[in-house]
Amino acid sequence: MKAIRYYAPGQVALEDVPEPTPGPGEIKLRVRNCSLCGADLRIVRHGSHRMSAPRVMGHEIAGEIVDLGDGVADWSPGDRVQVIGAIPCGSCAECDRGRPRMCLHLTAMGHDFDGGFAEYVVVPAKVLAVGGVNRIPDGVGFAEASFAEPLSCVINGQQLVGVGPGDHVVVVGAGPIGCLHVRLARAAGAAQVILVELNQERLAHAAKLVQPDAVICAADGRVTEDVLELTGGRGADVVITATPAGEALEEAVQYCAPQGRISIFGGLPKGNSITALDANVIHYRELTVVGASASSPEQNTRALEMIADGVVEVADLISHQLPLERFFDALELIDSGDAVKVTFEPGTPTTVGDEIVNMQWVNIALDGLLTETEIEEIIDNYESLQDRPLLHLGLDSMKTMGVILNMESKLGLEIDYEALDLAEISTLGRVRSFIDRRAGSDAYTV
C-alpha cells in the first residue's frame, strides 16, 4: 500500500509498504480521509521528539473498518468510523483526575503509532479502550468526519476560556483552526467575533467563508487600536491566538478587556517560544492567560456530534481533496496560502483513467472519487461528456457548496438543480444554504 513515512526532519517519503494486520483488540481501517494539520507541517520540517522512524504520519483519520483483531466486540467490517488523535492511557494520576489531555503517558496516532496518511491503518487496542473510535453518523461524509479531531481541540480551547453568550471574541489567525474558532464562538453565543490575520489574501478568503463580524489585517499595524474601536473602547472578553507568533500573544494583552481571558492556542516554534507579556497589565486588569493542548475522547465525540447536527459547518473549509500521491503539492499549497484545509483520500485515482470515464456521468458523487481539477481534466479531454447534464450530485461528502457553483460557471456544465436530492445533504444548515444560493427556485420544500 502507499503511505507517507517520516524518517527525520526534511526526510519524508511516499513509499510502498506492507498492509498492516490487526492484533488482539485492534481494528484495521481502510482510510477514506485523513486531513493535513499544522502539526504535520512542523513534523516534516522540524521533526518531533516523540516520533521514532520510520513512522506513517497523519492523525485526523476517518475510514471504514475492513478487519477486526481477536477479542474486538461491538464493531463490524463496513462500519464507518472516526479516530481520536491524542490517546490518553486512562489510568495515570491525571486521567484519574479527569484530565486525560494531561495524561502522563499521552500518545498519538501518527506520532507513537502509524497514522492515516496511508491506504490502511491499524487502530491500537488502547484507542478502543478509552472510547477513541466513533461511529460516523449517517449523512456525514468521511472528509467532514476527519474534522472532528481539530474541532475537538477547538472545543477544548474555548471551554478553558469559557467562551459564552455576550462575549466579544478576537480570533488571531485565519487558517482552518481560526475559522473553526470563529464558528464555534458564534455557536456559543458570542456577541461579536473579530478575525485578525497578517496575510490580507488569507484573511479575505477566510472572512468570505466564516463571515466574522469584523476583520483586521495585522499587517496594517493597528490591531490594538482597531479592536478597541470595534468594541467601544472596552476590549475583547476573549482572545484566542491560533497562530504560532509570540507577537500576537504580546499584543493580545494590550487589547483584552478587564477580567478578559487569553487562550494560547497556537504553540510557538521550538527555540523561539519565550515571549514577553506585560505583567502589570495582566495584574491590574485581572486577566487570565490559559494554554490549550489537544483534546479528550469525550470532546472528540462532541465535535463529531456538532458536525452532524450542523452546529459547526466544516465542509466548506475543505479547499482541496487530494490523492496521497500529491502530499508534497499539499505542503506547497499550505505554504503559499492558497489552501484553507487540505484532506487526503488514499487510493483516489491520480489520473483520468477508463475506470472513471466509463462511469455513468449522471451518478458521479463527489465524495472522494474526483477532485475539481480532475473534473476539469475530464471535461477538457472528453468532448463527449461536455453536453451531458449532471443530474445528480452526491452531496454527502461535498467539500463545499461553492464547488457546485464553480462547476456550473467555470466548467460550463448544465446542472439540473431540480433533480438534486436534498436528502443527501448532511445538515439542515447546508440545505438552507443551498436554497439561499438558488433563491427564486420553487423546486424545493424542506
Side-chain angles (χ1 to χ4, degrees):
M1 69 173 186
K2 299 290 186 182
I4 298 293
R5 299 178 94 186
Y6 166 87
Y7 286 90
Q11 298 180 30
V12 176
L14 173 68
E15 297 182 340
D16 287 306
V17 300
E19 276 189 32
T21 302
E26 299 178 333
I27 60 176
K28 177 181 176 180
L29 306 183
R30 176 193 172 197
V31 180
R32 296 295 301 273
N33 198 282
C34 190
S35 296
L36 188 65
C37 173
D40 297 316
L41 273 71
R42 290 193 294 273
I43 290 169
V44 169
R45 295 185 173 92
H46 308 295
S48 171
H49 68 279
R50 295 168 51 185
M51 296 181 69
S52 58
R55 174 68 67 214
V56 177
M57 297 173 58
H59 61 275
E60 299 179 5
I61 304 168
E64 181 180 2
I65 295 178
V66 295
D67 198 6
L68 305 173
D70 292 341
V72 175
D74 302 323
W75 298 101
S76 303
D79 286 345
R80 301 187 325 131
V81 299
Q82 179 269 335
V83 183
I84 61 173
I87 311 164
C89 72
S91 58
C92 71
E94 296 303 321
C95 287
D96 287 344
R97 286 172 170 79
R99 298 194 289 252
R101 301 181 309 279
M102 299 294 104
C103 174
L104 300 175
H105 311 292
L106 192 71
T107 53
M109 298 298 294
H111 289 74
D112 306 277
F113 303 97
D114 282 342
F117 291 156
E119 294 179 59
Y120 297 91
V121 63
V122 164
V123 180
K126 66 182 302 183
V127 176
L128 279 73
V130 296
V133 178
N134 295 287
R135 296 183 191 277
I136 300 175
D138 292 341
V140 176
F142 290 107
E144 292 170 292
S146 71
F147 259 92
E149 195 282 332
L151 179 57
S152 70
C153 297
V154 170
I155 290 171
N156 176 56
Q158 294 205 15
Q159 286 179 342
L160 288 169
V161 290
V163 177
D167 280 336
H168 294 255
V169 179
V170 171
V171 177
V172 185
I177 291 295
C179 289
L180 289 176
H181 271 296
V182 170
R183 284 187 166 162
L184 185 61
R186 181 86 69 207
Q192 182 185 43
V193 184
I194 301 168
L195 183 61
V196 179
E197 166 63 42
L198 185 64
N199 184 303
Q200 178 64 62
E201 186 175 346
R202 180 177 296 171
L203 178 62
H205 190 187
K208 185 176 180 180
L209 288 171
V210 299
Q211 299 182 351
D213 295 295
V215 297
I216 299 172
C217 181
D220 295 337
R222 288 182 43 86
V223 176
T224 296
E225 294 86 346
D226 288 347
V227 170
L228 292 175
E229 181 179 345
L230 289 166
T231 58
R234 182 172 175 273
D237 298 292
V238 178
V239 182
I240 300 167
T241 59
T243 180
E247 297 84 354
L249 180 58
E250 294 170 5
E251 193 165 28
V253 172
Q254 303 303 321
Y255 59 77
C256 201
Q259 293 193 339
R261 294 92 71 195
I262 299 173
S263 170
I264 308 176
F265 192 91
L268 302 186
K270 183 179 180 180
N272 192 28
S273 60
I274 306 300
T275 188
L277 303 183
D278 191 327
N280 278 343
V281 174
I282 295 171
H283 171 71
Y284 288 110
R285 288 192 201 163
E286 296 186 354
L287 304 183
T288 300
V289 181
V290 183
S293 177
S295 62
S296 68
E298 291 76 17
Q299 288 168 330
N300 193 100
T301 299
R302 175 60 182 145
L304 193 56
E305 292 171 349
M306 295 181 83
I307 292 170
D309 293 341
V311 176
V312 177
E313 181 70 23
V314 298
D316 59 349
L317 300 181
I318 303 172
S319 57
H320 297 77
Q321 288 179 282
L322 303 176
L324 202 58
E325 288 81 355
R326 293 189 61 190
F327 179 82
F328 299 100
D329 292 338
L331 301 183
E332 293 181 6
L333 285 169
I334 297 294
D335 281 339
S336 67
D338 292 336
V340 179
K341 187 68 169 178
V342 177
T343 69
F344 296 105
E345 298 169 326
T348 300
T350 57
T351 59
V352 180
D354 291 340
E355 71 279 5
I356 293 179
V357 174
N358 289 335
M359 294 175 59
Q360 290 190 6
W361 185 246
V362 296
N363 291 324
I364 288 180
L366 300 178
D367 60 355
L369 294 176
L370 298 173
T371 66
E372 190 174 355
T373 299
E374 288 170 332
I375 293 172
E376 290 179 352
E377 188 175 353
I378 289 176
I379 297 298
D380 289 342
N381 288 282
Y382 296 91
E383 293 183 1
S384 63
L385 296 177
Q386 292 185 6
D387 297 328
R388 296 194 186 185
L390 289 178
L391 298 180
H392 178 81
L393 293 176
L395 297 181
D396 167 56
S397 297
M398 196 72 179
K399 57 187 174 184
T400 166
M401 179 63 216
V403 170
I404 298 180
L405 303 179
N406 286 341
M407 288 168 57
E408 183 179 40
S409 59
K410 184 168 66 175
L411 304 184
L413 299 180
E414 176 187 351
I415 297 178
D416 185 349
Y417 285 90
E418 295 185 9
L420 294 180
D421 184 2
L422 297 187
E424 292 200 8
I425 304 180
S426 62
T427 67
L428 182 58
R430 291 173 71 181
V431 173
R432 288 172 175 159
S433 174
F434 181 88
I435 293 174
D436 288 345
R437 290 176 186 246
R438 305 308 303 174
S441 173
D442 58 1
Y444 312 102
T445 57
V446 178

